[in-house]
Amino acid sequence: MTYSQPSCADIFESGLMSYEDALLRILSSLSAIKGSERLPIERARGRILHKSVISTLEVPSHTNSAVDGYALRASDLSGRDDYRLLIRDVALAGRQFDGVIEKGECLRIMTGAAIPEPLDTVIMQEHVELEDGCIRINHHYRAGKNVRHAGEDIRIGDTVLAAGRVLTPPDIGLLASVGISEIEVKRRLTLAIASTGDEVFAPGQALCPGGLYDSNRYSLIAALDRPDIEIVDLGILPDDVDALLKSFNEAGCYADVIISSGGVSVGEADFTKLALSNSGQVDFWKVAIKPGRPLAFGRIGQAAFFGLPGNPVAVMVTFYFFVLPALEKMLGMVDKPVAPTFKARTTEDLRKVPGRTEIQRAIISRDENGEWIVRTTGKQGSGILRSMSLANAFIVLDHEDAGISAGEMVTVKPFCGMF
Ligand code: AMP
Ligand code: MG
């Protein structure tokens, strides 16, 4: 008997592990990698910061003007409604201004130019009238207006970015703004990825009778195409115990993680299980999650091993719900971009039996009132990859949930931010 197509009856079977338990077991057995490397900041987007960055300078480094206009003393503007100040000189951004501005005078100043003391206020050029080398101001101006103070963005000793952060485009700019050109980031994780099965063929090859094309390796490699991960493609491995062991053991010498798909159920042709079940280092679980019930997890050599199910949707679901959180932990991510989950109103009845977590593929949109609604992508078989490709979100039905009627609210997890 194989379990690759779980049915409702299966849940009465004993020995199922809840999704939460399985995830907890995986996460608690993994720790963050130690190594790091130094990169120019322009190559560091999407990498994880190894150590917190402390600023050694102030940003901005000098008090400067936020606008093009005229710098003056606020005290020159008190007591009257109508002022005339002589334009003494001009200050440009990036040029040192050494002149002196006396009382009753002002300084023509450009955006970003340093404001010399004791000037403390800048009036926008649009707010003055020019008259014989003087400016005329006829409305009230607040002292300190249009002045950017030294250190108002970042002070010396401030933590600019904390360790464990995934570096985003503004972070890269922020590093540059404090004068940093190279940065220490966590080294990349090396992931070895394999498909298994004698019936599985690479696209581009001719299919033999009974064969099918490998989609799992491709969806996984695409999902892992990111700056902090290096992929080693182990190809398609045959249903042969020795060949599987050889390939996995080799990968266990250099990879941080090995991910294979297929062969983890309990059928006679579940060769991944046959190959590894006596190793003592890999457990074969039946997780109360649909799709994705059979799941292998353990260690091979120095690598964490994930044996995902064979069915293409089960592969994607187990990847996003088990493997990805594990990779994030191994990468030492602390402050990671959050993929939101929220509630949406289902427009159709959803069949569900209590006793397992169900991940349905769905389309979220907004109705005419701007409220989020959700419908499934139709047939939800774990082999129907189109159900995933058509979707823009998962519906997550919790372990205890029973059937849900149209109009009820359900939890959705949009792909946006997750992919
Ligand atoms: P298994 O658990 O190995 O029996 O695989 C379960 C189902 O997934 C079978 O129908 C396999 O043919 C299919 N399958 C396994 N590996 C792949 C793959 N790499 N791409 C697409 N389908 C696969
Ligand atoms: Mg197989």
Side-chain angles (χ1 to χ4, degrees), residues 238-250:
D239 281 330
D240 176 274
V241 167
D242 294 334
L244 287 166
L245 278 178
K246 180 169 181 293
S247 192
F248 290 155
N249 285 331
E250 273 171 21

Side-chain angles (χ1 to χ4, degrees), residues 4 34 57 61 88 100 111 141 151 170 197 201 208 233 238 269-271 296 304 357 373 394-395 401 419:
S4 49
K34 294 275 183 295
L57 47 80
S61 60
R88 165 61 59 193
V100 176
T111 306
Y141 237 82
F201 289 79
C208 290
D233 186 353
D270 285 316
F271 284 86
T357 302
I373 52 172
F394 288 126
I395 296 175
D401 286 345
F419 277 19

Side-chain angles (χ1 to χ4, degrees), residues 111-125:
T111 306
I115 301 173
E117 284 187 344
L119 308 187
D120 56 14
T121 302
V122 179
I123 298 198
M124 281 176 84
Q125 63 186 28

Side-chain angles (χ1 to χ4, degrees), residues 2-5 194-197 199-201 210-219 236 239 261-267 269-272 294 308-312 315 382-383 385:
T2 73
Y3 292 93
S4 49
Q5 292 286 345
S195 287
T196 70
E199 80 283 26
V200 181
F201 289 79
L212 56 81
Y213 282 121
D214 180 7
S215 59
N216 294 344
R217 205 161 35 103
Y218 294 88
S219 45
I236 301 167
D239 281 330
S261 64
V264 292
S265 245
V266 292
D270 285 316
F271 284 86
T272 306
L308 307 186
N311 280 305
V315 164
S382 65
L385 193 50

Side-chain angles (χ1 to χ4, degrees), residues 248-314:
F248 290 155
N249 285 331
E250 273 171 21
C253 296
Y254 60 80
D256 298 298
V257 180
I258 302 169
I259 305 175
S260 81
S261 64
V264 292
S265 245
V266 292
E268 277 162 32
D270 285 316
F271 284 86
T272 306
K273 172 149 181 153
L274 281 175
L276 296 173
S277 51
N278 292 329
S279 70
Q281 295 221 283
V282 176
D283 290 325
F284 291 81
W285 296 337
K286 285 183 258 173
V287 185
I289 186 169
K290 182 189 176 182
R293 191 170 70 154
L295 184 72
F297 175 70
R299 237 167 218 280
I300 297 178
Q302 61 161 45
F305 175 80
F306 289 90
L308 307 186
N311 280 305
V313 182

Side-chain angles (χ1 to χ4, degrees), residues 182-242:
E182 287 189 345
I183 191 79
E184 197 76 14
V185 295
K186 302 270 185 215
R187 71 166 173 81
R188 298 201 289 171
L189 272 188
T190 305
L191 260 68
I193 298 187
S195 287
T196 70
D198 286 346
E199 80 283 26
V200 181
F201 289 79
Q205 287 184 328
L207 273 187
C208 290
L212 56 81
Y213 282 121
D214 180 7
S215 59
N216 294 344
R217 205 161 35 103
Y218 294 88
S219 45
L220 287 174
I221 288 175
L224 290 163
D225 181 14
R226 42 188 268 180
D228 49 3
I229 284 173
E230 185 180 345
I231 304 274
V232 179
D233 186 353
L234 301 181
I236 301 167
L237 307 178
D239 281 330
D240 176 274
V241 167
D242 294 334

